[in-house]
Amino acid sequence: MAEDPETFRTETRSWLEANCPPAMREPMRSDKDATWGGRNPSFAHPDQKVWMDRMGARGWTVPDWPREYGGGGLSAAETKILREEMARLRCRNPLNSFGISMLGPALLKYGTEAQKLEHLPKIARGEIRWCQGYSEPNAGSDLAGLQTSAEDMGDHFLVNGQKVWTSYADEADWIFCLVRTDRTTKQGGISFLLFDMASEGVSTKPILLISGYSPFCETFFDNVKVPKANLLGDLNKGWDVAKYLLGHEREMISGMGLGGSGGNALVEGALRTIGADEGGRLADPLLRAQIALFEVRARAFAAMSERFIDELKAGRAHPAQPSMMKYYGTELNKTRHELVMAAGGSDALEWESEASNHGATPRAWLRTKANSIEGGTSEIQLNIIAKRILELPS
Amino acid sequence: MPLYLTDEQAMLRDTARDFVAEHAPVSHMRALRDAGDSTGFSRGLWRQFAELGLTGILIPEAQGGLGLGHVEAGVVLEEIGRNLSPSPFLATAVGAVEALKGSAHADRWFPGIVAGETVAALAIDEGAKHNGRIAMRAERSGNGFRLSGTKQFVAHGHVADLLIVAARTEGGTTLFALPRDTAGLTVTPERLADAGIAARLTFDGVEVDADAVIGEVDRGDAPLARMLAGGRVGASAELLGVGGGAMDRTVSYLKERKQFGQPIGSFQALQHRAAHLYSEMEVARAAVLKAQQLLDAGDPGATDAVSVAKAMTSLATTLAVQEGIQMHGGIGMTDEYDIGFYMKRARVLAELFGDANFHADALARAAGY
């Protein structure tokens, strides 16, 4: 560390206090308050842009990336201090980004110097918004069965096919995409391509979900020309990049089990709707018990997350452990939202009223049902744990 | 502090693992049971624990112990759990030591504990469920006190040299340290489902000297809380061993046992359940280490963390032993096979110092709902 931790903490705290706008210290009311950046960014509040730009300029949207790629160049210990100070001030996340959580780590590991310099700083500053082209109509859990093809045309690839469940494809600027470059083998014939969603031949169609939102799209490629320089990693070795990236995605999703403020938010909601008994305890004893037992698991999982991060940093985590984290975290998150709905009663069923913030609670509940499907289903994670960690026979 | 074992802690674990597996494997417990042994554990084995220094693991170095913490006590307890070794370690080396630490009684009792000569028992519970309420009374009588009431579920209470007893005094709770042969005390051993022995103690106006008081009169809450925290996190570590031992046996069995011409571990229905069990056990393991570290650091968050650890290990280990028997099939129901012992031991440890419901309720109360 360049300076001593306490100096860094003091300086970080005063910078955040001076630079994080008060509106960015308020809890988010809905998904619309999240900042995603991009070429045509949308901000529900002007301070979202201020906050993103200030953090991006400092490299603090990606504090532990190297400075030459737009990062903050912070050590792990400094990054931890920054996150702690942000949490202390309740600073919102300045930038939500698949570029940060998924593509970035893969670019850092597999990218050429030119690719890193081209893409990473724009991710860090929120200038380019990325989406992920993995799943296809006939390649969901069996991801390696994908058929979208990239034909070698000498100076470029010609991409044809269809993706599905492409999160925010209609709002993304670029896509990182798995394509088939060899039909004679399954995993060994996949390559990893990066290309501009504004390329000719790319079209998207949002899919309306049970939550009433359309965060996912069908994405179509019709003779899309992609320069060869946009291949990430080696030709036909895209599966390695994809697996590496999926590990990061699972880590990110597993964190959702810890989202919100744990049991307390549940209890506050339940006390509002159900009330307390004479002893000051939640008047529905069965719900109280369910919340309390949920809290046991949620707090234990918080310890597990801490342990997982510590082991990752020390290089001692089992490579398949992200599967366990993803499985447990997402199942826990679904349980949390079932309890939120049970605690909310009929208030939690309001779908469009102003008071309910346009049904934020039931929509969030429905959204969580995808947690154990996206990024590899719970069943796929259990397969991985069984085979790779417990080494059960095939 | 990172949430994994340091190199020194891992070395201690390896030492404990080899020692317990060699000297007190499940067959040791089976032999004691089959012999109808009325002590319930081996005094000789306890002295061997002492030779390794383990009985004094939590005793300060200045008093002849190793001066280590709950993380280190836990790695020993986990191995005891994994081998279902009948041992007074939890009650003596953890519970009693935590209760006596810093009091005048430490000088009297610690040398015997360090030497592996002294065994202690904790007299806390007064009903079938651990509830933290103490009805037993200790009334001033002459220079000392007169104790009246009953205690139950006192592991090793029938053979222990030292009893730690919690009683209600005029102005609060008081903790007493007494020799088991104190006149007037009736001790009735009861064999439990796991073949261990716990005693019922009846105090019918038992006279004790004032110097039996641990610390100060009416101020027993602090040493009692320390003893319970140690006992709870220790029982969690032992549960982790029981659950882990059951899971390891079950996973091995899934790899060996063939049905329909293939190992049953290749069936997805069983793979998914085994993988789910693994996840629960890993989460429980993290919760235990977190609680141990917070306790060792004197962190105020330790109380909640200990409740999380005890509740989570109870849930996870209960699953481990249930899945263990189910996946073993019919052979899991036989006395000849060891997996059933794991189920019985898990049930006892889950109940000890409060079950999952007790600790979930404690968390809810602490959070104000």
Side-chain angles (χ1 to χ4, degrees):
Chain A
M1 201 177 290
E3 50 194 334
D4 86 276
E6 282 321 300
T7 309
F8 179 76
R9 186 182 294 279
T10 314
E11 287 171 4
T12 299
R13 184 175 299 181
S14 42
W15 188 87
L16 288 172
E17 276 168 357
N19 287 280
C20 183
M24 293 299 103
R25 304 183 203 180
E26 299 287 322
M28 299 209 302
R29 285 156 298 134
S30 79
D31 286 354
K32 293 188 180 67
D33 289 339
T35 304
W36 288 88
R39 280 178 195 146
N40 304 299
S42 70
F43 300 106
H45 190 290
D47 282 348
Q48 281 177 253
K49 178 164 168 48
V50 173
W51 179 224
M52 177 184 79
D53 288 346
R54 285 179 184 169
M55 287 290 275
R58 237 178 139 77
W60 280 7
T61 52
V62 282
D64 56 352
W65 287 10
R67 282 184 190 276
E68 64 264 38
Y69 306 135
L74 300 189
S75 68
E78 288 168 333
T79 302
K80 185 160 180 272
I81 291 172
L82 171 61
R83 300 219 190 285
E84 283 166 4
E85 290 304 313
M86 285 176 69
R88 202 185 63 84
L89 271 186
R90 299 172 183 235
C91 303
R92 283 190 198 171
N93 187 9
L95 178 60
N96 285 26
S97 162
F98 298 146
I100 292 174
S101 55
M102 296 196 269
L103 179 62
L107 268 169
L108 283 165
K109 185 172 168 70
Y110 292 97
T112 62
E113 190 58 23
Q115 287 171 335
K116 291 182 197 174
L117 289 170
E118 164 71 17
H119 297 297
L120 290 171
K122 292 177 187 168
I123 290 172
R125 294 192 298 264
E127 290 169 5
I128 291 292
R129 182 169 178 179
W130 286 82
C131 64
Q132 178 192 50
Y134 273 27
S135 295
E136 298 185 6
N138 291 309
S141 288
D142 182 15
L143 178 58
L146 60 92
Q147 294 301 322
T148 292
S149 66
E151 202 183 336
D152 189 337
M153 304 300 283
D155 65 333
H156 66 271
F157 293 106
L158 198 62
V159 178
N160 279 287
Q162 183 193 343
K163 295 289 175 181
V164 73
W165 308 124
T166 329
S167 307
Y168 304 109
D170 53 339
E171 295 175 50
D173 307 308
W174 275 64
I175 187 167
F176 49 97
C177 193
L178 289 178
V179 293
R180 182 152 298 287
T181 37
D182 181 351
R183 293 196 181 277
T184 60
T185 77
K186 201 174 175 187
Q187 268 101 340
I190 292 169
S191 298
F192 199 103
L193 279 188
L194 316 173
F195 56 91
D196 196 323
M197 290 291 280
S199 308
E200 195 175 331
V202 178
S203 59
T204 63
K205 189 175 151 200
I207 304 166
L208 187 63
L209 298 184
I210 53 178
S211 63
Y213 293 136
S214 312
F216 295 101
C217 294
E218 292 178 286
T219 306
F220 304 91
F221 308 123
D222 181 15
N223 286 327
V224 180
K225 282 187 183 175
V226 177
K228 281 197 156 168
N230 291 13
L231 179 70
L232 181 61
D234 293 335
L235 188 71
N236 294 328
K237 291 283 172 57
W239 191 244
D240 295 341
V241 185
K243 273 196 303 184
Y244 181 75
L245 192 151
L246 272 171
H248 282 271
E249 180 178 13
R250 282 168 193 162
E251 272 171 62
M252 178 190 69
I253 295 176
S254 71
M256 293 192 305
L258 304 168
S261 47
N264 287 341
L266 272 174
V267 171
E268 284 165 22
L271 284 172
R272 259 199 313 276
T273 49
I274 297 164
D277 64 15
E278 301 82 11
R281 273 174 270 160
L282 190 59
D284 178 342
L286 293 181
L287 181 63
R288 177 180 181 274
Q290 288 173 345
I291 293 175
L293 284 166
F294 167 78
E295 204 166 335
V296 168
R297 284 202 156 80
R299 291 196 194 199
F301 186 68
M304 182 65 223
S305 301
E306 195 181 326
R307 174 186 149 198
F308 176 60
I309 289 164
D310 289 345
E311 289 187 336
L312 270 186
K313 279 187 198 151
R316 343 170 25 134
H318 189 289
Q321 196 74 325
S323 287
M324 178 276 197
M325 296 299 294
K326 198 270 178 183
Y327 166 67
Y328 208 91
T330 56
E331 296 297 331
L332 205 55
N333 200 40
K334 289 199 299 182
T335 304
R336 177 202 304 284
H337 282 265
E338 285 298 330
L339 289 170
V340 167
M341 291 301 286
S346 59
D347 286 353
L349 296 171
E350 287 186 14
W351 191 250
E352 287 179 334
S353 69
E354 201 62 45
S356 71
N357 195 14
H358 302 283
T361 301
R363 290 174 202 267
W365 161 64
L366 290 162
R367 174 65 184 85
T368 63
K369 298 306 173 192
N371 294 165
S372 49
I373 301 169
E374 60 205 345
T377 61
S378 282
E379 288 70 24
I380 289 287
Q381 309 307 334
L382 292 171
N383 285 348
I384 292 170
I385 295 166
K387 295 201 170 70
R388 304 245 303 271
I389 299 180
L390 300 177
E391 297 176 340
L392 289 171
S394 296
Chain B
M1 189 183 305
L3 209 54
Y4 49 76
L5 297 182
T6 63
D7 291 345
E8 291 78 13
Q9 289 161 346
M11 268 171 58
L12 177 69
R13 179 201 56 203
D14 294 344
T15 304
R17 183 166 287 180
D18 293 345
F19 171 74
V20 179
E22 185 184 345
H23 296 280
V26 182
S27 56
H28 169 76
M29 174 255 167
R30 181 186 286 277
L32 285 173
R33 184 202 66 165
D34 289 350
D37 177 271
S38 61
T39 304
F41 63 91
S42 157
R43 286 260 180 192
L45 181 68
W46 185 233
R47 276 189 293 274
Q48 284 180 287
F49 266 84
E51 282 159 22
L52 287 175
L54 299 178
T55 55
I57 203 158
L58 284 169
I59 293 177
E61 283 178 286
Q63 290 171 292
L66 295 183
L68 298 172
H70 291 283
V71 176
E72 287 84 0
V75 301
V76 177
L77 279 162
E78 185 175 346
E79 299 313 314
I80 288 172
R82 191 185 311 282
N83 292 281
L84 306 179
S85 318
S87 174
F89 188 92
L90 178 58
T92 307
V94 179
V97 167
E98 283 299 292
L100 300 178
K101 214 176 241 180
S103 80
H105 283 275
D107 290 338
R108 176 174 174 197
W109 294 104
F110 281 0
I113 292 175
V114 170
E117 301 297 335
T118 300
V119 165
L122 314 176
I124 305 300
D125 290 354
E126 300 185 3
K129 297 300 282 186
H130 177 80
N131 62 16
R133 287 193 286 277
I134 299 162
M136 189 160 123
R137 301 198 62 81
E139 287 161 314
R140 293 268 185 193
S141 167
N143 286 333
F145 292 85
R146 180 185 288 127
L147 274 55
S148 307
T150 59
K151 297 283 181 181
Q152 67 186 66
F153 200 32
V154 183
H156 323 301
H158 61 308
V159 290
D161 309 285
L162 161 69
L163 299 175
I164 309 283
V165 182
R168 185 140 307 285
T169 35
E170 211 172 349
T173 305
T174 302
L175 223 49
F176 295 89
L178 4 147
R180 180 179 42 89
D181 53 12
T182 301
L185 169 61
T186 311
V187 179
T188 316
E190 305 284 358
R191 188 155 317 260
L192 303 181
D194 71 336
I197 301 171
R200 287 180 189 275
L201 310 184
T202 307
F203 295 81
D204 189 7
V206 173
E207 301 277 355
V208 299
D209 290 341
D211 64 10
V213 172
I214 299 171
E216 289 175 55
V217 177
D218 297 336
R219 298 278 170 79
D221 284 336
L224 179 62
R226 218 168 46 230
M227 177 173 97
L228 282 174
R232 285 164 177 161
V233 84
S236 304
E238 198 172 334
L239 272 166
L240 212 50
V242 174
M247 183 177 84
D248 289 350
R249 276 159 195 267
T250 304
V251 170
S252 298
Y253 189 75
L254 293 179
K255 292 175 186 173
E256 290 158 17
R257 170 70 168 163
K258 288 194 172 154
Q259 293 276 268
F260 307 104
Q262 44 192 319
I264 60 174
S266 66
F267 302 143
Q268 199 176 51
L270 299 186
Q271 287 188 346
H272 282 191
R273 284 166 50 181
H276 171 69
L277 169 58
Y278 166 82
S279 307
E280 292 280 358
M281 289 302 302
E282 283 291 286
V283 170
R285 171 173 302 283
V288 172
L289 189 54
K290 184 75 191 171
Q292 291 165 336
Q293 287 187 351
L294 290 177
L295 215 49
D296 285 335
D299 190 291
T303 307
D304 274 6
V306 167
S307 277
V308 169
K310 186 62 172 52
M312 189 66 217
T313 49
S314 297
L315 295 171
T317 296
T318 299
L319 180 71
V321 297
Q322 287 172 348
E323 291 290 57
I325 292 205
Q326 179 65 22
M327 292 200 211
H328 274 80
I331 200 168
M333 292 297 292
T334 65
D335 184 75
E336 188 191 340
Y337 228 73
D338 289 340
I339 191 75
F341 288 158
Y342 282 83
M343 174 161 282
K344 293 187 252 190
R345 186 76 193 126
R347 186 62 252 155
V348 172
L349 284 168
E351 207 59 58
L352 189 65
F353 305 129
D355 64 5
N357 290 347
F358 173 89
H359 287 289
D361 179 69
L363 282 179
R365 284 168 190 264
Y369 66 97

